[in-house]
Amino acid sequence: MSVQTEKLLQQLEAIVGEAGILTGAALAGRSAGIWSGSALEALALVRPRSTDEVSRVMRACHAAGQVVVPAGGMTGLAGGHWSTATDILLSTERMNRIETMDARARTMVVEAGVILQSVHERAAEDGLMFALDLGARASCTIGGNIATNAGGVRVLRYGMMRDQVLGLEAVLADGTVVSSMFDVLKNNTGYDLRQMFLGSEGTLGIVTRAVLRLHEAPLATETALLAVPTWDQVMELLRYFDAALPGALAAFEVLWRDFYRLNTGPCSSVDPPLDGDTPYYILMDVFIADIDEGRARLESLLTTCLEQGEIVDGSLAASEAERARLWQIRENFEPEQKKFDLIYGYDVSLPLESMADYVESVRSELTARFADAELFAYGHIGDGNLHFSIYPGRARDRDAVDEMVYFPLRALHGSVSAEHGIGLEKKAYLEYTRSAAEIELMRKTKRMMDPGNILNPGKLFDL
Ligand SMILES: Cc1cc2nc3c(=O)[nH]c(=O)nc-3n(C[C@H](O)[C@H](O)[C@H](O)COP(=O)(O)OP(=O)(O)OC[C@H]3O[C@@H](n4cnc5c(N)ncnc54)[C@H](O)[C@@H]3O)c2cc1C
């Protein structure tokens, strides 16, 4: 280690204290994230406790030209938080305080390292809800949710993370603190600086605090699983339920047959609630305001769908335990981890009209080229957001599979990333979705806000 690096680490330790910096052997037991399986690599893991400490850490790193990679819960699926042995990994794990909760204003002020589930639990104590919800809720952080502009299962009704943040505070690459901690819904006073950080994947600043917008919690949630014979019917049912239950349809997920069979088959702990012979399975949440009437209304709509052949079978959860079991079919990735030693994950969006044909054409191209490959499709279809879990077969040609998935999206006006971000994994494909002029403007913004290119460099795009 150079004298300069040693001096910087001493400086950082003076800022965050001995417990706030881990190096060498102290890093050994840490993994690079729950999804990665590999050991964490970093020059040091720095864990500040306040905005002021983040600012002083950044000032020191800026002066030394030291690369800093921000990290929250490390559940990101695009490689945005990946670091190398020469990077400082700046974790918000000790900035995990819920500062204030204002039930009347329906706002909560949190530090960036607060876990999403803690926000849900705190809001629920006052009969409120925080609308962002996703499978990694027990590990991901509000700062990470902001930096990735996370989506999840409630976007259909409430929008993405950018719609849940009223204000935020961030530290720039040179240590400047930018506070936009507004708590009002409407604020047309020039450029919306807060939104610059939403989806910026840690390349423009480190989010340290946020003002979150809360909503009234529904009295109850009904969950149904429906077996649907055709894609046309899937699309019609989305409109049908949205129109018949205005403002109440809170999740509309679709599982293709192979995914449903995998997640209710021998590798799964969930028994299939419906047989596995139908091409599509809709998993739907409906918020209801009156328990008896709301459930009766939903039952009657489902009966009509059954009589008209729009669905061939269905299961309406009768308890919270049953609801959780139905959701496990969608959110549990253990079956694929048990069955396959390698899975490539994808997260794209495209118009619903083209989606079923797109899935089948990717599947046939994949299996024509790699006979032992397998594709499982599912996603937040109410938002036009499709996920693939692909077992690439023994050939393991990631570039070829990426190209099969991403290339057709250009003609379909789709996106190579619906909600997970670009990170390192999709950098090569950013130009499939964004124009050269857009990418150049992003580069100019990055150069202006981080002239030394020390904040998460090489993520999203190269300068
Ligand atoms: C099982 C599972 C299900 C998932 N489901 C969904 C889903 O439905 N929808 C969805 O959108 N995502 C989903 N994800 C992906 C992931 O959970 C989200 O991207 C989440 O928002 C990442 O939060 P994190 O705290 O783990 O961030 P990290 O993984 O630590 O970081 C993600 C990115 O944000 C940056 N970052 C982190 N904290 C900060 C900060 N304070 N300031 C600036 N930059 C920061 C990092 O540098 C990195 O670029 C899922 C992941 C898993 C494992």
Side-chain angles (χ1 to χ4, degrees):
M1 191 184 298
S2 72
V3 178
Q4 230 187 347
T5 305
E6 244 175 75
K7 205 172 134 211
L8 174 66
L9 291 181
Q10 281 164 9
Q11 248 180 304
L12 298 182
E13 184 172 328
I15 297 166
V16 296
E18 208 181 320
I21 182 164
L22 306 181
T23 53
L27 280 179
R30 294 218 165 207
S31 90
I34 59 172
W35 220 234
S36 108
S38 49
L40 187 145
E41 280 194 59
L43 173 63
L45 177 69
V46 176
R47 309 184 300 160
R49 279 163 303 195
S50 65
T51 303
D52 179 55
E53 284 188 6
V54 175
S55 167
R56 285 155 64 207
V57 165
M58 287 314 301
R59 231 178 296 147
C61 290
H62 185 249
Q66 170 62 48
V67 165
V68 176
V69 176
M74 302 175 90
T75 67
L77 297 175
H81 63 273
W82 290 347
S83 54
T84 70
T86 55
D87 299 339
I88 294 284
L89 192 64
L90 189 150
S91 166
T92 54
E93 65 194 46
R94 296 205 302 171
M95 295 178 64
N96 56 4
R97 277 185 328 122
I98 294 179
E99 294 180 5
T100 58
M101 161 82 200
D102 185 338
R104 286 207 325 183
R106 293 183 288 197
T107 56
M108 193 188 293
V109 178
V110 298
E111 289 184 322
V114 170
I115 300 290
L116 175 59
Q117 190 164 308
S118 310
V119 172
H120 289 169
E121 288 166 1
R122 180 63 192 90
E125 285 172 25
D126 281 295
L128 294 167
M129 65 171 281
F130 182 59
L132 182 85
D133 193 17
L134 48 95
R137 61 183 75 78
S139 311
C140 65
T141 63
I142 292 298
N145 300 152
I146 290 173
T148 58
N149 182 28
V153 298
R154 298 270 182 257
V155 174
L156 175 65
R157 175 147 185 207
Y158 296 100
M160 295 183 72
M161 186 62 176
R162 66 170 78 258
D163 300 301
Q164 322 307 329
V165 180
L166 295 175
L168 59 72
E169 178 184 84
V171 175
L172 305 185
D174 65 359
T176 304
V177 179
V178 178
S179 179
S180 289
M181 291 289 281
F182 299 105
D183 53 8
V184 286
L185 201 52
K186 297 177 102 174
N187 178 14
N188 268 353
T189 48
Y191 300 151
D192 192 341
L193 299 175
R194 159 194 62 153
Q195 291 292 351
M196 296 276 291
F197 299 98
L198 277 133
S200 67
E201 301 188 44
T203 60
L204 298 183
I206 296 176
V207 178
T208 47
R209 295 164 71 223
V211 185
L212 304 179
R213 179 185 183 190
L214 307 174
H215 292 273
E216 293 303 322
L219 193 63
T221 306
E222 297 287 356
T223 298
L225 180 72
L226 313 174
V228 186
T230 69
W231 184 253
D232 263 354
Q233 287 165 319
V234 169
M235 288 197 296
E236 275 162 22
L237 286 167
L238 172 57
R239 279 206 64 193
Y240 174 73
F241 287 116
D242 222 359
L245 304 160
L249 188 61
F252 192 90
E253 305 284 305
V254 176
L255 323 177
W256 269 246
R257 176 168 41 205
D258 293 2
F259 182 88
Y260 178 78
R261 284 184 181 163
L262 176 69
N263 276 15
T264 53
C267 294
S268 167
S269 56
V270 185
D271 292 330
L274 309 176
D275 75 36
D277 296 332
T278 316
Y280 306 102
Y281 294 83
I282 294 172
L283 180 65
M284 180 171 97
D285 267 358
V286 175
F287 286 169
I288 55 174
D290 178 308
I291 291 189
D292 296 331
E293 217 178 277
R295 191 171 169 91
R297 170 97 177 112
L298 187 54
E299 276 169 346
S300 130
L301 292 174
L302 295 179
T303 307
T304 308
C305 291
L306 207 52
E307 284 166 0
Q308 293 177 348
E310 297 292 331
I311 61 176
V312 291
D313 202 356
S315 167
L316 181 60
S319 64
E320 274 305 305
E322 266 186 41
R323 280 195 62 227
R325 244 191 325 274
L326 292 184
W327 270 99
Q328 222 187 321
I329 300 171
R330 161 67 177 85
E331 290 191 333
N332 188 1
F333 292 95
E334 254 171 46
E336 65 185 48
Q337 286 167 335
K338 266 191 200 160
K339 185 161 178 205
F340 303 106
D341 62 343
L342 182 66
I343 285 283
Y344 299 158
Y346 295 91
D347 156 49
V348 302
S349 66
L350 67 156
L352 288 188
E353 281 294 341
S354 315
M355 197 174 277
D357 290 344
Y358 166 75
V359 170
E360 291 324 313
S361 90
V362 173
R363 193 195 303 279
S364 48
E365 203 187 331
L366 178 77
T367 49
R369 176 111 179 245
F370 307 114
D372 56 342
E374 292 190 50
L375 177 150
F376 303 92
Y378 61 100
H380 313 298
I381 302 307
D383 321 327
N385 183 177
L386 174 72
H387 293 310
F388 288 137
S389 291
I390 292 182
Y391 169 65
R394 279 180 302 277
R396 285 155 202 260
D397 187 341
R398 177 93 207 209
D399 289 346
V401 179
D402 282 359
E403 200 60 36
M404 283 175 207
V405 173
Y406 295 135
F407 186 75
L409 294 171
R410 299 175 83 143
L412 295 170
H413 299 289
S415 169
V416 298
S417 175
E419 58 176 10
H420 294 164
I422 295 294
L424 277 180
E425 282 213 343
K426 299 182 199 169
K427 198 162 82 163
Y429 303 96
L430 182 61
E431 64 183 33
Y432 283 12
T433 301
R434 305 300 290 265
S435 67
E438 284 177 300
I439 297 173
E440 192 43 38
L441 186 55
M442 290 193 222
R443 286 202 176 102
K444 279 186 183 150
T445 308
K446 168 74 173 165
R447 282 190 203 108
M448 185 262 294
M449 291 179 71
D450 178 15
N453 198 20
I454 61 162
L455 252 184
N456 223 1
K459 310 286 168 59
L460 267 172
F461 46 75
D462 290 315
L463 276 186

